[in-house]
Amino acid sequence: MKYLYVIIVSLGFMLTSCSSNKVKIGLMLPVENERWIKDRDIILAKAKLLDVEVIVTNANLSASLEIEQTQQLIDQGVDVLLVIAVNKNTGAAIVRIAHENNVKVIAYDRFIQNCDLDYFVSFDNVKVGTLMAQYATKYVPEGKYYLLGGDKSDQNAVWMKQGWAGIIDPYIKSGKIKVVYDTYIEDWARDNAYHAIDQYLELSSNDVPDVILSAYDGLSYGAIDALNANNALKYPLITGQDAELKACQNIVNGTQAMTIYKPLKILADRAVELAIQCAKNQDIKLTGNTLYNGQKDVPSFLIDPISLDKTNMKSTVVADGFLKEEDIYNSK
Ligand code: GAL
């Protein structure tokens, strides 16, 4: 029970007897970081508005704990699961357990492979990579590129690299871009990114690359720490993802060039609406994509990500209320 906690969303004036009829959604977080806490809070707000209950779990990066939590949520009577899988492969066990109990599963922002997954709601993750690489090649069309990918057990990290490749491959073929290192970073962890860049700088006698294509803001912090620790003589162009507060501060201060902003409210609101439809066994028509997960074409709802640098900070994250202007600009 250590990692399991319960958040009950209910209107204070409702009688307890009525609340038992409410739709109950299980929201399974892979870990509590800035990104997933934001998603969680928007989901809870939307659930409150629509008068449904949400039970939240945190797997603390453990794929096996996340599987155990599935049964615990089912025992607590959830009608539907919103799953952010720690691992795209072992996540199939979550879907199997849920289906054995007639509970539908919506993969929330992370795809789950080789199973009878019901729905997938996310962003266009190939486009996330495309936007990063387009930005980098616009400003640095020639030079040494270090590819700092996410966790490879997360399909988003793989899709993102496809997006990078689509843009940089022609530059590599023409000899303009040289990829000096290409890696995935376990758990999307800042410390692991630090060690990867630190080791590269040591082995290359501090030959700082011109670009670090970083898949996530947390990895970018690790890269910046390693550059500082090695007294690097220049900052490469560093990308990122998630528009975390610290990343936006780094962008306006110049140590990170850009990040990818994902308007989470669109995703979270859509996910809650879809979850309620699943719980009520309503007829669902998702217009748009399906994505093949190795077993079936999964009906998918994909949102466009946005490229963010210092020029559009105010018109995007600030205008949307995603971050506060004073927090971004008063960080020195
Ligand atoms: C990915 C997600 C990214 C980032 C990363 C680390 O699945 O697409 O936006 O949050 O996880 O949490």
Side-chain angles (χ1 to χ4, degrees), residues 235-252:
Y235 268 103
L237 181 153
I238 303 177
T239 63
Q241 177 182 205
D242 276 4
E244 287 191 359
L245 175 59
K246 189 176 169 50
C248 292
Q249 291 169 341
N250 288 347
I251 289 171
V252 297

Side-chain angles (χ1 to χ4, degrees), residues 268-312:
D269 284 356
R270 188 71 184 91
V272 174
E273 285 160 5
L274 185 59
I276 295 171
Q277 287 176 299
C278 284
K280 293 185 173 166
N281 276 321
Q282 286 171 352
D283 194 21
I284 297 168
K285 283 181 193 69
L286 270 194
T287 48
N289 297 336
T290 58
L291 287 173
Y292 186 64
N293 76 345
Q295 180 172 326
K296 70 180 274 199
D297 288 317
V298 182
S300 301
F301 174 73
L302 302 179
I303 302 159
D304 266 348
I306 296 163
S307 185
L308 176 66
D309 73 357
K310 57 179 186 294
T311 63
N312 60 345

Side-chain angles (χ1 to χ4, degrees), residues 32-70:
E32 285 184 346
N33 64 17
E34 190 172 322
R35 160 78 212 266
W36 305 124
I37 286 178
K38 264 206 165 101
D39 288 84
R40 180 198 68 191
D41 291 348
I42 304 171
I43 288 171
L44 291 178
K46 180 74 174 177
K48 186 170 183 184
L49 209 66
L50 299 179
D51 195 26
V52 297
E53 193 176 320
V54 182
I55 306 177
V56 187
T57 57
N58 167 17
N60 237 334
L61 292 175
S62 163
S64 55
L65 177 60
E66 200 173 44
I67 294 168
E68 280 170 37
Q69 289 171 336
T70 312

Side-chain angles (χ1 to χ4, degrees), residues 179-223:
V179 173
V180 290
Y181 206 80
D182 182 1
T183 188
Y184 283 102
I185 297 293
E186 202 177 339
D187 292 338
W188 299 88
R190 174 179 182 159
D191 284 357
N192 296 339
Y194 174 91
H195 289 301
I197 299 291
D198 185 51
Q199 202 184 28
Y200 174 79
L201 292 173
E202 226 164 83
L203 295 176
S204 68
S205 311
N206 232 348
D207 185 15
V208 179
D210 300 296
V211 170
I212 298 180
L213 277 182
S214 162
Y216 160 57
D217 291 338
L219 305 181
S220 317
Y221 310 148

